[in-house]
PDB file of all heavy atoms in Angstrom:
ATOM      1  N   VAL A   1      -5.248  -4.253  -6.706  1.00  0.00           N
ATOM      2  CA  VAL A   1      -4.638  -4.197  -8.035  1.00  0.00           C
ATOM      3  C   VAL A   1      -3.185  -3.732  -7.938  1.00  0.00           C
ATOM      4  O   VAL A   1      -2.295  -4.269  -8.598  1.00  0.00           O
ATOM      5  CB  VAL A   1      -5.457  -3.278  -8.967  1.00  0.00           C
ATOM      6  CG1 VAL A   1      -4.709  -3.007 -10.271  1.00  0.00           C
ATOM      7  CG2 VAL A   1      -6.808  -3.908  -9.267  1.00  0.00           C
ATOM      8  N   ALA A   2      -2.952  -2.716  -7.106  1.00  0.00           N
ATOM      9  CA  ALA A   2      -1.588  -2.217  -6.924  1.00  0.00           C
ATOM     10  C   ALA A   2      -0.682  -3.296  -6.346  1.00  0.00           C
ATOM     11  O   ALA A   2       0.471  -3.460  -6.777  1.00  0.00           O
ATOM     12  CB  ALA A   2      -1.595  -0.987  -6.017  1.00  0.00           C
ATOM     13  N   VAL A   3      -1.189  -4.055  -5.379  1.00  0.00           N
ATOM     14  CA  VAL A   3      -0.404  -5.137  -4.789  1.00  0.00           C
ATOM     15  C   VAL A   3      -0.139  -6.226  -5.833  1.00  0.00           C
ATOM     16  O   VAL A   3       0.979  -6.746  -5.945  1.00  0.00           O
ATOM     17  CB  VAL A   3      -1.122  -5.730  -3.565  1.00  0.00           C
ATOM     18  CG1 VAL A   3      -0.419  -7.001  -3.085  1.00  0.00           C
ATOM     19  CG2 VAL A   3      -1.191  -4.705  -2.435  1.00  0.00           C
ATOM     20  N   ALA A   4      -1.171  -6.557  -6.623  1.00  0.00           N
ATOM     21  CA  ALA A   4      -1.008  -7.596  -7.646  1.00  0.00           C
ATOM     22  C   ALA A   4       0.063  -7.208  -8.651  1.00  0.00           C
ATOM     23  O   ALA A   4       0.896  -8.040  -9.041  1.00  0.00           O
ATOM     24  CB  ALA A   4      -2.340  -7.835  -8.359  1.00  0.00           C
ATOM     25  N   ALA A   5       0.067  -5.941  -9.081  1.00  0.00           N
ATOM     26  CA  ALA A   5       1.083  -5.491 -10.037  1.00  0.00           C
ATOM     27  C   ALA A   5       2.469  -5.482  -9.399  1.00  0.00           C
ATOM     28  O   ALA A   5       3.471  -5.821 -10.043  1.00  0.00           O
ATOM     29  CB  ALA A   5       0.729  -4.114 -10.567  1.00  0.00           C
ATOM     30  N   ALA A   6       2.537  -5.096  -8.121  1.00  0.00           N
ATOM     31  CA  ALA A   6       3.819  -5.094  -7.420  1.00  0.00           C
ATOM     32  C   ALA A   6       4.368  -6.511  -7.292  1.00  0.00           C
ATOM     33  O   ALA A   6       5.574  -6.735  -7.426  1.00  0.00           O
ATOM     34  CB  ALA A   6       3.662  -4.462  -6.039  1.00  0.00           C
ATOM     35  N   ARG A   7       3.499  -7.474  -7.046  1.00  0.00           N
ATOM     36  CA  ARG A   7       3.929  -8.871  -6.931  1.00  0.00           C
ATOM     37  C   ARG A   7       4.526  -9.368  -8.244  1.00  0.00           C
ATOM     38  O   ARG A   7       5.371 -10.273  -8.253  1.00  0.00           O
ATOM     39  CB  ARG A   7       2.733  -9.729  -6.510  1.00  0.00           C
ATOM     40  CG  ARG A   7       3.056 -11.157  -6.137  1.00  0.00           C
ATOM     41  CD  ARG A   7       3.903 -11.288  -4.880  1.00  0.00           C
ATOM     42  NE  ARG A   7       3.279 -10.777  -3.702  1.00  0.00           N
ATOM     43  CZ  ARG A   7       2.419 -11.461  -2.920  1.00  0.00           C
ATOM     44  NH1 ARG A   7       2.089 -12.695  -3.242  1.00  0.00           N
ATOM     45  NH2 ARG A   7       1.913 -10.914  -1.845  1.00  0.00           N
ATOM     46  N   LEU A   8       4.103  -8.738  -9.338  1.00  0.00           N
ATOM     47  CA  LEU A   8       4.618  -9.112 -10.659  1.00  0.00           C
ATOM     48  C   LEU A   8       5.838  -8.290 -11.052  1.00  0.00           C
ATOM     49  O   LEU A   8       6.315  -8.381 -12.191  1.00  0.00           O
ATOM     50  CB  LEU A   8       3.511  -8.953 -11.709  1.00  0.00           C
ATOM     51  CG  LEU A   8       2.310  -9.879 -11.511  1.00  0.00           C
ATOM     52  CD1 LEU A   8       1.161  -9.480 -12.433  1.00  0.00           C
ATOM     53  CD2 LEU A   8       2.701 -11.338 -11.736  1.00  0.00           C
ATOM     54  N   GLY A   9       6.349  -7.466 -10.118  1.00  0.00           N
ATOM     55  CA  GLY A   9       7.595  -6.750 -10.354  1.00  0.00           C
ATOM     56  C   GLY A   9       7.451  -5.294 -10.736  1.00  0.00           C
ATOM     57  O   GLY A   9       8.453  -4.636 -11.035  1.00  0.00           O
ATOM     58  N   ARG A  10       6.216  -4.757 -10.698  1.00  0.00           N
ATOM     59  CA  ARG A  10       6.001  -3.366 -11.067  1.00  0.00           C
ATOM     60  C   ARG A  10       6.100  -2.449  -9.857  1.00  0.00           C
ATOM     61  O   ARG A  10       5.783  -2.835  -8.734  1.00  0.00           O
ATOM     62  CB  ARG A  10       4.619  -3.211 -11.724  1.00  0.00           C
ATOM     63  CG  ARG A  10       4.467  -4.020 -13.004  1.00  0.00           C
ATOM     64  CD  ARG A  10       5.378  -3.512 -14.085  1.00  0.00           C
ATOM     65  NE  ARG A  10       5.355  -4.367 -15.285  1.00  0.00           N
ATOM     66  CZ  ARG A  10       6.054  -4.103 -16.378  1.00  0.00           C
ATOM     67  NH1 ARG A  10       6.832  -3.035 -16.431  1.00  0.00           N
ATOM     68  NH2 ARG A  10       5.993  -4.912 -17.420  1.00  0.00           N
ATOM     69  N   ARG A  11       6.531  -1.196 -10.091  1.00  0.00           N
ATOM     70  CA  ARG A  11       6.564  -0.165  -9.042  1.00  0.00           C
ATOM     71  C   ARG A  11       5.190   0.481  -8.983  1.00  0.00           C
ATOM     72  O   ARG A  11       4.712   1.033  -9.969  1.00  0.00           O
ATOM     73  CB  ARG A  11       7.634   0.882  -9.349  1.00  0.00           C
ATOM     74  CG  ARG A  11       9.049   0.337  -9.293  1.00  0.00           C
ATOM     75  CD  ARG A  11      10.080   1.382  -9.693  1.00  0.00           C
ATOM     76  NE  ARG A  11       9.980   2.588  -8.880  1.00  0.00           N
ATOM     77  CZ  ARG A  11       9.669   3.791  -9.353  1.00  0.00           C
ATOM     78  NH1 ARG A  11       9.402   3.964 -10.631  1.00  0.00           N
ATOM     79  NH2 ARG A  11       9.626   4.840  -8.551  1.00  0.00           N
ATOM     80  N   THR A  12       4.535   0.402  -7.822  1.00  0.00           N
ATOM     81  CA  THR A  12       3.162   0.875  -7.707  1.00  0.00           C
ATOM     82  C   THR A  12       2.975   1.738  -6.460  1.00  0.00           C
ATOM     83  O   THR A  12       3.776   1.690  -5.517  1.00  0.00           O
ATOM     84  CB  THR A  12       2.158  -0.296  -7.645  1.00  0.00           C
ATOM     85  OG1 THR A  12       2.338  -1.005  -6.408  1.00  0.00           O
ATOM     86  CG2 THR A  12       2.362  -1.267  -8.796  1.00  0.00           C
ATOM     87  N   GLY A  13       1.908   2.513  -6.472  1.00  0.00           N
ATOM     88  CA  GLY A  13       1.519   3.310  -5.318  1.00  0.00           C
ATOM     89  C   GLY A  13       0.005   3.471  -5.325  1.00  0.00           C
ATOM     90  O   GLY A  13      -0.653   3.242  -6.343  1.00  0.00           O
ATOM     91  N   VAL A  14      -0.564   3.863  -4.191  1.00  0.00           N
ATOM     92  CA  VAL A  14      -2.009   4.012  -4.054  1.00  0.00           C
ATOM     93  C   VAL A  14      -2.345   5.397  -3.513  1.00  0.00           C
ATOM     94  O   VAL A  14      -1.747   5.849  -2.525  1.00  0.00           O
ATOM     95  CB  VAL A  14      -2.600   2.954  -3.097  1.00  0.00           C
ATOM     96  CG1 VAL A  14      -4.116   3.097  -3.018  1.00  0.00           C
ATOM     97  CG2 VAL A  14      -2.246   1.557  -3.539  1.00  0.00           C
ATOM     98  N   VAL A  15      -3.305   6.062  -4.177  1.00  0.00           N
ATOM     99  CA  VAL A  15      -3.886   7.309  -3.668  1.00  0.00           C
ATOM    100  C   VAL A  15      -5.178   6.922  -2.963  1.00  0.00           C
ATOM    101  O   VAL A  15      -6.152   6.511  -3.609  1.00  0.00           O
ATOM    102  CB  VAL A  15      -4.179   8.312  -4.802  1.00  0.00           C
ATOM    103  CG1 VAL A  15      -4.753   9.605  -4.226  1.00  0.00           C
ATOM    104  CG2 VAL A  15      -2.919   8.593  -5.609  1.00  0.00           C
ATOM    105  N   THR A  16      -5.201   7.030  -1.635  1.00  0.00           N
ATOM    106  CA  THR A  16      -6.376   6.637  -0.870  1.00  0.00           C
ATOM    107  C   THR A  16      -6.337   7.331   0.485  1.00  0.00           C
ATOM    108  O   THR A  16      -5.479   8.183   0.728  1.00  0.00           O
ATOM    109  CB  THR A  16      -6.456   5.106  -0.723  1.00  0.00           C
ATOM    110  OG1 THR A  16      -7.726   4.742  -0.166  1.00  0.00           O
ATOM    111  CG2 THR A  16      -5.333   4.553   0.153  1.00  0.00           C
ATOM    112  N   LYS A  17      -7.273   6.967   1.366  1.00  0.00           N
ATOM    113  CA  LYS A  17      -7.308   7.521   2.718  1.00  0.00           C
ATOM    114  C   LYS A  17      -7.756   6.453   3.694  1.00  0.00           C
ATOM    115  O   LYS A  17      -8.594   5.598   3.355  1.00  0.00           O
ATOM    116  CB  LYS A  17      -8.294   8.700   2.801  1.00  0.00           C
ATOM    117  CG  LYS A  17      -7.696  10.070   2.602  1.00  0.00           C
ATOM    118  CD  LYS A  17      -8.750  11.144   2.908  1.00  0.00           C
ATOM    119  CE  LYS A  17      -8.190  12.528   2.761  1.00  0.00           C
ATOM    120  NZ  LYS A  17      -9.231  13.558   3.045  1.00  0.00           N
ATOM    121  N   VAL A  18      -7.230   6.536   4.908  1.00  0.00           N
ATOM    122  CA  VAL A  18      -7.623   5.645   5.992  1.00  0.00           C
ATOM    123  C   VAL A  18      -8.027   6.489   7.195  1.00  0.00           C
ATOM    124  O   VAL A  18      -7.940   7.717   7.177  1.00  0.00           O
ATOM    125  CB  VAL A  18      -6.470   4.697   6.379  1.00  0.00           C
ATOM    126  CG1 VAL A  18      -6.130   3.775   5.229  1.00  0.00           C
ATOM    127  CG2 VAL A  18      -5.228   5.493   6.821  1.00  0.00           C
ATOM    128  N   GLY A  19      -8.470   5.831   8.249  1.00  0.00           N
ATOM    129  CA  GLY A  19      -8.794   6.523   9.482  1.00  0.00           C
ATOM    130  C   GLY A  19      -7.584   6.636  10.393  1.00  0.00           C
ATOM    131  O   GLY A  19      -6.562   5.957  10.200  1.00  0.00           O
ATOM    132  N   ALA A  20      -7.715   7.484  11.406  1.00  0.00           N
ATOM    133  CA  ALA A  20      -6.649   7.652  12.403  1.00  0.00           C
ATOM    134  C   ALA A  20      -6.820   6.582  13.482  1.00  0.00           C
ATOM    135  O   ALA A  20      -7.159   6.864  14.637  1.00  0.00           O
ATOM    136  CB  ALA A  20      -6.705   9.054  13.002  1.00  0.00           C
ATOM    137  N   ASP A  21      -6.584   5.341  13.086  1.00  0.00           N
ATOM    138  CA  ASP A  21      -6.822   4.215  13.991  1.00  0.00           C
ATOM    139  C   ASP A  21      -5.826   3.100  13.699  1.00  0.00           C
ATOM    140  O   ASP A  21      -5.015   3.194  12.768  1.00  0.00           O
ATOM    141  CB  ASP A  21      -8.264   3.707  13.852  1.00  0.00           C
ATOM    142  CG  ASP A  21      -8.675   3.415  12.405  1.00  0.00           C
ATOM    143  OD1 ASP A  21      -7.846   2.861  11.657  1.00  0.00           O
ATOM    144  OD2 ASP A  21      -9.816   3.737  12.031  1.00  0.00           O
ATOM    145  N   GLY A  22      -5.893   2.051  14.469  1.00  0.00           N
ATOM    146  CA  GLY A  22      -4.955   0.952  14.312  1.00  0.00           C
ATOM    147  C   GLY A  22      -5.063   0.258  12.971  1.00  0.00           C
ATOM    148  O   GLY A  22      -4.061  -0.212  12.429  1.00  0.00           O
ATOM    149  N   PHE A  23      -6.264   0.181  12.425  1.00  0.00           N
ATOM    150  CA  PHE A  23      -6.419  -0.440  11.114  1.00  0.00           C
ATOM    151  C   PHE A  23      -5.774   0.416  10.022  1.00  0.00           C
ATOM    152  O   PHE A  23      -5.240  -0.113   9.049  1.00  0.00           O
ATOM    153  CB  PHE A  23      -7.895  -0.687  10.808  1.00  0.00           C
ATOM    154  CG  PHE A  23      -8.479  -1.862  11.537  1.00  0.00           C
ATOM    155  CD1 PHE A  23      -9.618  -1.716  12.323  1.00  0.00           C
ATOM    156  CD2 PHE A  23      -7.909  -3.119  11.444  1.00  0.00           C
ATOM    157  CE1 PHE A  23     -10.169  -2.795  12.990  1.00  0.00           C
ATOM    158  CE2 PHE A  23      -8.448  -4.214  12.107  1.00  0.00           C
ATOM    159  CZ  PHE A  23      -9.586  -4.054  12.892  1.00  0.00           C
ATOM    160  N   GLY A  24      -5.828   1.742  10.197  1.00  0.00           N
ATOM    161  CA  GLY A  24      -5.125   2.605   9.249  1.00  0.00           C
ATOM    162  C   GLY A  24      -3.622   2.383   9.300  1.00  0.00           C
ATOM    163  O   GLY A  24      -2.941   2.359   8.265  1.00  0.00           O
ATOM    164  N   ASP A  25      -3.104   2.221  10.521  1.00  0.00           N
ATOM    165  CA  ASP A  25      -1.675   1.907  10.662  1.00  0.00           C
ATOM    166  C   ASP A  25      -1.345   0.580   9.988  1.00  0.00           C
ATOM    167  O   ASP A  25      -0.291   0.429   9.345  1.00  0.00           O
ATOM    168  CB  ASP A  25      -1.308   1.825  12.153  1.00  0.00           C
ATOM    169  CG  ASP A  25      -1.467   3.159  12.873  1.00  0.00           C
ATOM    170  OD1 ASP A  25      -1.462   4.212  12.202  1.00  0.00           O
ATOM    171  OD2 ASP A  25      -1.607   3.134  14.115  1.00  0.00           O
ATOM    172  N   TYR A  26      -2.251  -0.382  10.142  1.00  0.00           N
ATOM    173  CA  TYR A  26      -2.039  -1.690   9.512  1.00  0.00           C
ATOM    174  C   TYR A  26      -1.973  -1.558   7.995  1.00  0.00           C
ATOM    175  O   TYR A  26      -1.137  -2.201   7.345  1.00  0.00           O
ATOM    176  CB  TYR A  26      -3.159  -2.647   9.912  1.00  0.00           C
ATOM    177  CG  TYR A  26      -3.219  -3.888   9.055  1.00  0.00           C
ATOM    178  CD1 TYR A  26      -2.286  -4.907   9.210  1.00  0.00           C
ATOM    179  CD2 TYR A  26      -4.193  -4.029   8.058  1.00  0.00           C
ATOM    180  CE1 TYR A  26      -2.322  -6.040   8.411  1.00  0.00           C
ATOM    181  CE2 TYR A  26      -4.230  -5.152   7.257  1.00  0.00           C
ATOM    182  CZ  TYR A  26      -3.298  -6.156   7.437  1.00  0.00           C
ATOM    183  OH  TYR A  26      -3.322  -7.268   6.636  1.00  0.00           O
ATOM    184  N   VAL A  27      -2.867  -0.744   7.402  1.00  0.00           N
ATOM    185  CA  VAL A  27      -2.871  -0.562   5.942  1.00  0.00           C
ATOM    186  C   VAL A  27      -1.502  -0.080   5.469  1.00  0.00           C
ATOM    187  O   VAL A  27      -0.930  -0.612   4.509  1.00  0.00           O
ATOM    188  CB  VAL A  27      -3.975   0.424   5.519  1.00  0.00           C
ATOM    189  CG1 VAL A  27      -3.768   0.882   4.070  1.00  0.00           C
ATOM    190  CG2 VAL A  27      -5.352  -0.213   5.673  1.00  0.00           C
ATOM    191  N   ARG A  28      -0.949   0.934   6.135  1.00  0.00           N
ATOM    192  CA  ARG A  28       0.352   1.464   5.718  1.00  0.00           C
ATOM    193  C   ARG A  28       1.455   0.411   5.864  1.00  0.00           C
ATOM    194  O   ARG A  28       2.318   0.262   4.992  1.00  0.00           O
ATOM    195  CB  ARG A  28       0.692   2.708   6.540  1.00  0.00           C
ATOM    196  CG  ARG A  28      -0.128   3.931   6.159  1.00  0.00           C
ATOM    197  CD  ARG A  28       0.410   5.183   6.848  1.00  0.00           C
ATOM    198  NE  ARG A  28      -0.243   6.370   6.343  1.00  0.00           N
ATOM    199  CZ  ARG A  28      -1.404   6.858   6.789  1.00  0.00           C
ATOM    200  NH1 ARG A  28      -2.028   6.222   7.796  1.00  0.00           N
ATOM    201  NH2 ARG A  28      -1.935   7.951   6.277  1.00  0.00           N
ATOM    202  N   THR A  29       1.425  -0.322   6.961  1.00  0.00           N
ATOM    203  CA  THR A  29       2.431  -1.363   7.184  1.00  0.00           C
ATOM    204  C   THR A  29       2.320  -2.464   6.140  1.00  0.00           C
ATOM    205  O   THR A  29       3.327  -2.948   5.602  1.00  0.00           O
ATOM    206  CB  THR A  29       2.274  -1.954   8.591  1.00  0.00           C
ATOM    207  OG1 THR A  29       2.441  -0.917   9.569  1.00  0.00           O
ATOM    208  CG2 THR A  29       3.297  -3.049   8.841  1.00  0.00           C
ATOM    209  N   ALA A  30       1.086  -2.857   5.828  1.00  0.00           N
ATOM    210  CA  ALA A  30       0.880  -3.907   4.840  1.00  0.00           C
ATOM    211  C   ALA A  30       1.339  -3.453   3.458  1.00  0.00           C
ATOM    212  O   ALA A  30       1.994  -4.219   2.734  1.00  0.00           O
ATOM    213  CB  ALA A  30      -0.592  -4.311   4.800  1.00  0.00           C
ATOM    214  N   LEU A  31       1.016  -2.228   3.081  1.00  0.00           N
ATOM    215  CA  LEU A  31       1.459  -1.715   1.784  1.00  0.00           C
ATOM    216  C   LEU A  31       2.984  -1.735   1.690  1.00  0.00           C
ATOM    217  O   LEU A  31       3.553  -2.150   0.669  1.00  0.00           O
ATOM    218  CB  LEU A  31       0.929  -0.298   1.558  1.00  0.00           C
ATOM    219  CG  LEU A  31      -0.563  -0.174   1.241  1.00  0.00           C
ATOM    220  CD1 LEU A  31      -0.994   1.290   1.282  1.00  0.00           C
ATOM    221  CD2 LEU A  31      -0.884  -0.780  -0.122  1.00  0.00           C
ATOM    222  N   ALA A  32       3.633  -1.286   2.740  1.00  0.00           N
ATOM    223  CA  ALA A  32       5.102  -1.293   2.748  1.00  0.00           C
ATOM    224  C   ALA A  32       5.635  -2.712   2.594  1.00  0.00           C
ATOM    225  O   ALA A  32       6.616  -2.954   1.885  1.00  0.00           O
ATOM    226  CB  ALA A  32       5.622  -0.653   4.030  1.00  0.00           C
ATOM    227  N   GLY A  33       4.977  -3.663   3.233  1.00  0.00           N
ATOM    228  CA  GLY A  33       5.401  -5.050   3.135  1.00  0.00           C
ATOM    229  C   GLY A  33       5.269  -5.595   1.727  1.00  0.00           C
ATOM    230  O   GLY A  33       6.046  -6.466   1.321  1.00  0.00           O
ATOM    231  N   PHE A  34       4.296  -5.078   0.992  1.00  0.00           N
ATOM    232  CA  PHE A  34       4.111  -5.501  -0.402  1.00  0.00           C
ATOM    233  C   PHE A  34       4.903  -4.633  -1.372  1.00  0.00           C
ATOM    234  O   PHE A  34       4.775  -4.784  -2.588  1.00  0.00           O
ATOM    235  CB  PHE A  34       2.627  -5.443  -0.779  1.00  0.00           C
ATOM    236  CG  PHE A  34       1.776  -6.466  -0.083  1.00  0.00           C
ATOM    237  CD1 PHE A  34       0.654  -6.079   0.640  1.00  0.00           C
ATOM    238  CD2 PHE A  34       2.090  -7.817  -0.151  1.00  0.00           C
ATOM    239  CE1 PHE A  34      -0.146  -7.015   1.274  1.00  0.00           C
ATOM    240  CE2 PHE A  34       1.289  -8.753   0.485  1.00  0.00           C
ATOM    241  CZ  PHE A  34       0.173  -8.358   1.201  1.00  0.00           C
ATOM    242  N   GLU A  35       5.694  -3.703  -0.847  1.00  0.00           N
ATOM    243  CA  GLU A  35       6.505  -2.787  -1.647  1.00  0.00           C
ATOM    244  C   GLU A  35       5.639  -1.898  -2.545  1.00  0.00           C
ATOM    245  O   GLU A  35       5.979  -1.606  -3.685  1.00  0.00           O
ATOM    246  CB  GLU A  35       7.558  -3.551  -2.461  1.00  0.00           C
ATOM    247  CG  GLU A  35       8.544  -4.305  -1.569  1.00  0.00           C
ATOM    248  CD  GLU A  35       9.665  -4.971  -2.356  1.00  0.00           C
ATOM    249  OE1 GLU A  35       9.591  -5.000  -3.598  1.00  0.00           O
ATOM    250  OE2 GLU A  35      10.624  -5.446  -1.712  1.00  0.00           O
ATOM    251  N   VAL A  36       4.499  -1.476  -1.991  1.00  0.00           N
ATOM    252  CA  VAL A  36       3.625  -0.511  -2.648  1.00  0.00           C
ATOM    253  C   VAL A  36       3.807   0.824  -1.941  1.00  0.00           C
ATOM    254  O   VAL A  36       3.736   0.900  -0.702  1.00  0.00           O
ATOM    255  CB  VAL A  36       2.156  -0.958  -2.582  1.00  0.00           C
ATOM    256  CG1 VAL A  36       1.230   0.123  -3.160  1.00  0.00           C
ATOM    257  CG2 VAL A  36       1.959  -2.267  -3.324  1.00  0.00           C
ATOM    258  N   ASP A  37       4.034   1.888  -2.701  1.00  0.00           N
ATOM    259  CA  ASP A  37       4.282   3.210  -2.137  1.00  0.00           C
ATOM    260  C   ASP A  37       3.036   3.710  -1.404  1.00  0.00           C
ATOM    261  O   ASP A  37       1.968   3.847  -2.000  1.00  0.00           O
ATOM    262  CB  ASP A  37       4.657   4.175  -3.257  1.00  0.00           C
ATOM    263  CG  ASP A  37       5.159   5.520  -2.738  1.00  0.00           C
ATOM    264  OD1 ASP A  37       4.987   5.809  -1.537  1.00  0.00           O
ATOM    265  OD2 ASP A  37       5.699   6.294  -3.550  1.00  0.00           O
ATOM    266  N   ALA A  38       3.159   3.984  -0.115  1.00  0.00           N
ATOM    267  CA  ALA A  38       2.047   4.476   0.697  1.00  0.00           C
ATOM    268  C   ALA A  38       2.140   5.976   0.943  1.00  0.00           C
ATOM    269  O   ALA A  38       1.423   6.503   1.799  1.00  0.00           O
ATOM    270  CB  ALA A  38       2.006   3.726   2.027  1.00  0.00           C
ATOM    271  N   SER A  39       2.982   6.676   0.186  1.00  0.00           N
ATOM    272  CA  SER A  39       3.178   8.112   0.402  1.00  0.00           C
ATOM    273  C   SER A  39       1.911   8.921   0.192  1.00  0.00           C
ATOM    274  O   SER A  39       1.775  10.021   0.733  1.00  0.00           O
ATOM    275  CB  SER A  39       4.255   8.645  -0.548  1.00  0.00           C
ATOM    276  OG  SER A  39       5.474   7.988  -0.359  1.00  0.00           O
ATOM    277  N   TYR A  40       0.987   8.377  -0.630  1.00  0.00           N
ATOM    278  CA  TYR A  40      -0.219   9.118  -0.975  1.00  0.00           C
ATOM    279  C   TYR A  40      -1.448   8.579  -0.257  1.00  0.00           C
ATOM    280  O   TYR A  40      -2.573   8.766  -0.699  1.00  0.00           O
ATOM    281  CB  TYR A  40      -0.412   9.106  -2.496  1.00  0.00           C
ATOM    282  CG  TYR A  40       0.884   9.403  -3.216  1.00  0.00           C
ATOM    283  CD1 TYR A  40       1.550   8.425  -3.954  1.00  0.00           C
ATOM    284  CD2 TYR A  40       1.497  10.655  -3.092  1.00  0.00           C
ATOM    285  CE1 TYR A  40       2.762   8.681  -4.564  1.00  0.00           C
ATOM    286  CE2 TYR A  40       2.716  10.914  -3.696  1.00  0.00           C
ATOM    287  CZ  TYR A  40       3.334   9.934  -4.433  1.00  0.00           C
ATOM    288  OH  TYR A  40       4.542  10.194  -5.022  1.00  0.00           O
TER     289      TYR A  40
END
């Protein structure tokens, strides 16, 4: 949902958690690529 809103021009961010693994790194990289704030 956050990515969908960002694609429509909205400033978005996600409060969530990932693991300490390569897939977690991928999540942060992907969010940044979609211009979704991954600070949280």
Side-chain angles (χ1 to χ4, degrees):
V1 170
V3 171
R7 189 66 62 85
L8 296 170
R10 299 294 174 178
R11 294 176 56 243
T12 68
V14 182
V15 181
T16 190
K17 266 188 178 179
V18 296
D21 52 41
F23 284 125
D25 295 339
Y26 166 75
V27 166
R28 287 189 172 85
T29 300
L31 287 170
F34 291 126
E35 298 185 351
V36 175
D37 190 347
S39 301
Y40 315 111

